[in-house]
Amino acid sequence: MHIDVITLFPEMIEQALGHGIPRIARHSGALSLATRNPRDHADNAHRTVDDRPFGGGPGMVMQAPPVIAAVEAARAAQPDTLVVAMSPQGERLDQHWLQRLAERPALTLLCGRYEGLDERIVRAVDLELSLGDFVLSGGELAAMAVIDGVARLLPGVLGHQSSAREDSFVEDLLDCPHYTRPATWRGESVPEVLLSGDHARIARWRLQQALGATWLKRPDLLEGVELNAESRALLSEFIAQCQNKTVRNEEA
């Protein structure tokens, strides 16, 4: 996959590929990256790319001509690219979106700054995505999140192919708890089932814990999940255990 990032701060984006999974993806050849600075397309001596908003108001707005020129350069270099503006007004980014983006041959991530983008820029992109209902100083951190999330889904990047399949949100559930050595630490022991060697029993426990964690922490996710009979039974058992534990604590 190739990713172009249109940004006023290309050095920030380069940092995203210098560590962890994005670095591995780049070194393996699974991911390539280029940055494009709208200032390179400015038609003035000071390379300014922003101006005051028509109608008045605070802040500055990124101008259409230099930004659109950068978008067009990205499209010319990668005709199959999907141009995505990182914007608080966009659709919420989730694991399903990352999986869809990872299937693309090329992406162009547009990072806004200042008060925002001239609306004519927004109409020239294919898609707007948001990290959530909050505002950052610019789109670079959001673009880095996309790069990291997509990189780990590319074939051959993770050390174990099942790692990505077992992440939180892949099946619309949170991940199950994980443990490693030592088996007992500060009086707390690893659940016996994980030491049993019974893979079917371990898989059942992990599914139940994932269902339970989602019920406890993100019950909204369960509203969109169609559970089969086994999953419903496991979740009911988990809820009953939690309720019994609460009653015992209250009696104590």
Side-chain angles (χ1 to χ4, degrees):
M1 165 182 277
H2 178 80
I3 298 180
D4 268 304
V5 184
I6 298 174
T7 172
L8 297 178
F9 301 98
E11 63 279 5
M12 290 181 64
I13 301 302
E14 288 293 342
Q15 285 294 319
L17 288 190
H19 309 278
I21 296 301
R23 180 187 63 82
I24 294 172
R26 191 176 197 179
H27 285 184
S28 71
L31 177 66
S32 61
L33 178 91
T35 57
R36 299 180 184 276
N37 195 330
R39 294 191 190 279
D40 295 335
H41 299 275
D43 60 359
N44 60 85
H46 299 289
R47 302 175 73 217
T48 56
V49 296
D50 62 301
D51 208 335
R52 296 187 181 280
F54 284 123
M60 305 290 278
V61 177
M62 292 188 71
Q63 297 173 299
V67 177
I68 294 297
V71 170
E72 290 174 345
R75 289 193 189 276
Q78 301 287 334
D80 293 332
T81 194
L82 179 74
V83 180
V84 181
M86 307 310 303
S87 166
Q89 299 182 39
E91 186 172 340
R92 182 75 63 87
L93 180 70
D94 59 15
Q95 191 65 27
H96 294 294
W97 262 118
L98 289 176
Q99 290 167 341
R100 291 168 65 180
L101 295 178
E103 295 172 358
R104 303 283 307 198
L107 296 175
T108 297
L109 306 178
L110 172 57
C111 304
R113 277 276 160 176
Y114 312 124
E115 195 66 23
L117 302 171
D118 185 300
E119 186 64 22
R120 290 165 289 188
I121 300 172
V122 177
R123 291 200 290 268
V125 306
D126 299 316
L127 175 70
E128 291 181 88
L129 287 177
S130 170
L131 293 189
D133 297 334
F134 54 90
V135 179
L136 299 172
S137 298
E140 285 77 15
L141 290 176
M144 284 189 262
V146 171
I147 293 170
D148 188 278
V150 166
R152 62 194 324 280
L153 296 176
L154 298 178
V157 171
L158 294 183
H160 200 297
Q161 284 302 108
S162 64
S163 295
R165 293 196 301 270
E166 295 177 1
D167 282 338
S168 292
F169 306 112
V170 171
E171 299 295 337
D172 293 316
L173 299 175
L174 299 185
D175 201 1
C176 65
H178 297 282
Y179 296 87
T180 188
R181 293 184 176 86
T184 301
W185 183 68
R186 292 187 175 179
E188 184 175 359
S189 298
V190 173
E192 179 274 333
V193 61
L194 297 178
L195 308 176
S196 68
D198 186 334
H199 296 294
R201 186 178 166 214
I202 291 171
R204 185 176 183 275
W205 180 87
R206 285 176 169 164
L207 174 58
Q208 183 177 58
Q209 293 299 308
L211 289 162
T214 307
W215 174 74
L216 287 171
K217 301 175 182 179
R218 290 290 307 277
D220 57 297
L221 293 176
L222 288 175
E223 296 175 3
V225 179
E226 185 174 346
L227 302 179
N228 59 27
E230 179 188 16
S231 294
R232 290 197 300 271
L234 289 172
L235 179 57
S236 296
E237 182 181 311
F238 182 94
I239 294 173
Q241 292 171 353
C242 288
Q243 292 172 338
N244 291 336
K245 183 177 180 180
T246 300
V247 170
R248 289 196 300 268
N249 290 339
E250 291 175 350
E251 291 175 349

